[in-house]
Amino acid sequence: MNLRLALPLLCLLIAACGRGTPVVALPTVPGQSLGNCASDSAALELTGSAASADAKTYRILPFTVAPRTGRVEVSYQWTDKAGPPSTPLTATTLDLGLYDEKGYRNPAGFRGWGGSRQGRIDQDKPPVFVQADSADRGFNPGPVIAGTWFVELGIAAVSPQGADWLVKIECKSASGALPASDPVDKAHVARITPGWYHGDFHMHAFHSNPNAPDWDDFIAQSRTAQLDFLMVTEYITGRHWETLGAVQRAHPDLLVWPGREIITYYGHANTFGETPGVLEYRHGFEDVNLGEIQRQSKAQGALFQVNHPTTFPPPVFSNLCRGCYFELGDQIDWNQVDTLEVVNGPVLATSDDIGSPVPIPGQIENPFLQTALNLWDDLLKQGYKITAVSGSDSKGVDAPEERTRKGYGSSVTAVYAATLSRESLTASIKDGRAYIRTRGVERSPALEFEARTEHDDFATFGGTVPASEASLVTLTTTVIGGTGQLLTYFQNGVPQLFVPITSDPFTHTFETATRNPLTEGPLGTYWRVETRDSMSRTTIGNPVFLKGG
């Protein structure tokens, strides 16, 4: 990667991944309570420290909830030990999770995860809470039952000198009834006609950020971006799975598709679909492994995506964006990866976005796009048929004038499906019947691409046509809205032909596409196309494959 371009992206990644101030951790003692929490007693305070060697680990802090408790509140903070002032590249960050009496390894015991938002000492944040009828964002309401509960401290990153932390737990009286479950109808068909449907494969909302929009604003912003299906991938939690039914019914022409982002300290992934039995994320803790999380998620019917796989590689950026770079390629089954997020966040970055100490004239293409494409090409050549997609990774908090560039739908993936439904979209996504419009629906060209043999065998995005090593295959590309841009053909990841786009619509025919046995893999030779202007790529097509015959 180009570090000269990556370093200026510091502030952009701070916005995308969160910014921490110093923190630390305590020993794991899952079988021993560290104190009693009751509504008629003083707050329980737990203290500890963490060293830089503790980064990417978890500390389980058991405590006893007394009978007749109706509400549990947890707050925490951390401070660096004496030493050099922290910077975004060295700061400590601790995350906070909560499990009830059912256990810290039981999905039924998971009561929520708030990341680091409650623990930042530079912000006046109220404690997270759970009670029978309500809970904080990212946390699950439900009865507060006496027994051993567990605070989880995720030691995401620690400054070189270490850090000290304080956890404060209060138990209070409260009453109320568990809210009724109202999940989305998984079989909902938003539109019955075949066509190109646009989705954002990485959207955070109400449960991911304390300043995120409510559901009405979430839908409004999505409509402005001309999205058709909404991948609601909240951090860790599955609480939204039980509450979005009313949102779907109020907007029957859109497809609401809940999922979650699995935040590990070694890489992030999305699952699309409700997986209540797999609320796990702590790769490396005890026997937790992302490969098993993937297997169980797929068994429950979800799609699996690897997120921003090459963004901010360690060790330089480990503290800045915890786990953003994907290091778990040898832990998962790539045959079970459905999508790879090659575009993450805005495709264009400005000096204001990235907080560059050296002004960047205008905007530059996100340097991690090319490295993600390189990874995708390597995986395709190894025989893994994975669909390239894009995700804004937006929390919906951008200023209105900036939403078209980095808000919901600022980049989209167009998927051709028989209906606007999970069933049809799932089939098309797995088939690769898709292409990326890097600047959203309004500001990106539309793309068509097909391969046809001399025997009239035909395929479009994601398809395969039979072709011998001597076959000549005709590729036809149509670009709508791309006048003045450049069309590029790639064979097995290597650019082969550059064609100026001189009209609208513009159609180009490449009549001598062939296989290349020296560079192809088990999938055969693949051809794909991109368009770009002087600033960045504007479309990225999934490939067609020439194989056998």
Side-chain angles (χ1 to χ4, degrees):
M1 61 167 287
N2 188 331
L3 285 180
R4 183 178 63 83
L5 292 177
L7 283 169
L9 283 172
L10 188 62
C11 291
L12 177 63
L13 272 259
I14 289 171
C17 302
R19 186 177 193 172
T21 46
V23 193
V24 186
L26 178 83
T28 302
V29 281
Q32 175 185 357
S33 172
L34 297 176
N36 188 62
C37 183
S39 57
D40 58 353
S41 62
L44 177 63
E45 293 190 355
L46 308 175
T47 60
S49 62
S52 58
D54 296 320
K56 299 187 176 183
T57 63
Y58 296 87
R59 297 295 179 266
I60 302 299
L61 311 178
F63 64 99
T64 300
V65 172
R68 295 181 297 280
T69 298
R71 176 183 173 103
V72 174
E73 296 183 355
V74 183
S75 60
Y76 76 123
Q77 63 182 34
W78 63 83
T79 55
D80 277 336
K81 292 180 181 292
S86 293
T87 72
L89 291 176
T90 63
T92 301
T93 299
L94 293 188
D95 297 324
L96 179 70
L98 182 65
Y99 287 78
D100 65 22
E101 83 291 344
K102 298 182 185 68
Y104 68 93
R105 288 296 304 273
N106 184 350
F110 177 75
R111 295 303 288 262
W113 185 88
S116 61
R117 69 177 188 246
Q118 252 74 19
R120 297 177 186 169
I121 60 175
D122 60 332
Q123 300 177 26
D124 182 18
K125 294 294 185 182
V128 302
F129 73 94
V130 296
Q131 60 186 53
D133 59 348
S134 62
D136 195 17
R137 294 174 187 250
F139 290 77
N140 297 328
V144 174
I145 298 175
T148 301
W149 286 46
F150 307 88
V151 168
E152 171 198 282
L153 277 184
I155 308 176
V158 185
S159 65
Q161 64 267 33
D164 298 313
W165 53 261
L166 166 68
V167 172
K168 183 177 179 180
I169 307 167
E170 293 186 84
C171 290
K172 299 181 177 181
S173 298
S175 61
L178 181 68
S181 175
D182 188 9
V184 171
D185 177 6
K186 299 178 183 180
H188 177 69
V189 179
R191 295 172 221 169
I192 61 173
T193 56
W196 287 103
Y197 295 111
H198 293 93
D200 184 337
F201 280 66
H202 197 159
M203 305 173 75
H204 294 290
F206 182 81
H207 294 294
S208 293
N209 190 298
N211 300 313
D214 61 19
W215 293 119
D216 287 341
D217 194 14
F218 176 84
I219 293 292
Q221 291 186 39
S222 299
R223 286 192 181 279
T224 299
Q226 302 181 48
L227 294 176
D228 302 304
F229 60 96
L230 316 179
M231 299 296 211
V232 190
T233 52
E234 301 281 35
Y235 291 128
I236 304 297
T237 186
R239 180 179 172 188
H240 54 303
W241 302 341
E242 299 298 322
T243 61
L244 283 172
V247 177
Q248 177 66 91
R249 290 191 298 275
H251 305 278
D253 60 320
L254 301 178
L255 189 74
V256 179
W257 197 337
R260 69 186 186 107
E261 184 169 18
I262 302 165
I263 304 292
T264 87
Y265 294 146
Y266 300 89
H268 299 177
N270 277 349
T271 52
F272 306 117
E274 298 84 341
T275 58
V278 202
L279 279 167
E280 190 52 270
Y281 49 93
R282 298 166 292 185
H283 177 91
F285 172 66
E286 296 185 350
D287 61 346
V288 178
N289 182 279
L290 184 62
E292 180 61 15
I293 297 171
Q294 177 195 33
R295 188 193 67 77
Q296 293 180 16
S297 298
K298 293 287 293 182
Q300 293 191 16
L303 294 173
F304 188 89
Q305 171 173 298
V306 172
N307 292 347
H308 41 70
T310 61
T311 295
F312 280 90
V316 174
F317 301 106
S318 294
N319 287 37
L320 171 68
C321 197
R322 285 75 57 199
C324 289
Y325 187 87
F326 196 76
E327 302 178 72
L328 300 176
D330 61 344
Q331 300 294 310
I332 63 172
D333 181 355
W334 284 101
N335 283 307
Q336 295 299 309
V337 174
D338 299 294
T339 54
L340 184 72
E341 187 184 46
V342 300
V343 180
N344 171 262
V347 70
L348 294 173
T350 68
S351 292
D352 288 341
D353 293 324
I354 59 184
S356 173
V358 179
I360 297 173
Q363 301 172 340
I364 62 169
E365 183 179 89
N366 186 326
F368 302 117
L369 169 55
Q370 183 58 59
T371 54
L373 287 172
N374 293 344
L375 173 63
W376 181 45
D377 281 320
D378 288 343
L379 291 167
L380 289 172
K381 284 183 280 190
Q382 291 176 54
Y384 301 112
K385 191 169 184 279
I386 299 171
T387 300
V389 299
S390 67
S392 69
D393 207 353
S394 175
K395 285 74 176 171
V397 296
D398 304 299
E401 63 272 15
E402 284 286 72
R403 289 174 183 168
T404 57
R405 194 174 62 81
K406 60 182 181 179
Y408 299 140
S410 51
S411 66
V412 298
T413 303
V415 181
Y416 192 89
T419 63
L420 183 53
S421 66
R422 287 197 208 182
E423 181 180 16
S424 292
L425 286 169
T426 292
S428 294
I429 290 166
K430 288 182 175 181
D431 287 344
R433 193 84 184 273
Y435 69 95
I436 297 168
R437 305 176 77 173
T438 67
R439 299 183 198 164
V441 175
E442 193 67 35
R443 301 186 303 143
S444 306
L447 194 62
E448 297 175 8
F449 181 54
E450 67 174 50
R452 193 176 295 272
T453 70
E454 64 267 34
H455 303 296
D456 216 29
D457 294 304
F458 163 85
T460 184
F461 299 108
T464 300
V465 295
S468 68
E469 293 182 16
S471 297
L472 294 180
V473 178
T474 300
L475 305 178
T476 302
T477 307
T478 298
V479 182
I480 301 170
T483 304
Q485 298 186 24
L486 187 70
L487 169 66
T488 305
Y489 290 84
F490 293 80
Q491 182 198 61
N492 297 334
V494 179
Q496 300 293 320
L497 183 66
F498 303 91
V499 182
I501 300 172
T502 57
S503 62
D504 189 14
F506 176 80
T507 298
H508 179 264
T509 301
F510 179 26
E511 297 181 337
T512 56
T514 61
R515 286 178 57 191
N516 186 340
L518 296 178
T519 61
E520 72 179 19
L523 297 173
T525 291
Y526 65 90
W527 286 85
R528 63 179 182 86
V529 293
E530 297 177 357
T531 61
R532 65 174 304 132
D533 61 15
S534 60
M535 301 177 71
S536 75
R537 293 164 179 83
T538 55
T539 63
I540 301 168
N542 277 279
V544 294
F545 300 88
L546 316 183
K547 183 179 181 181

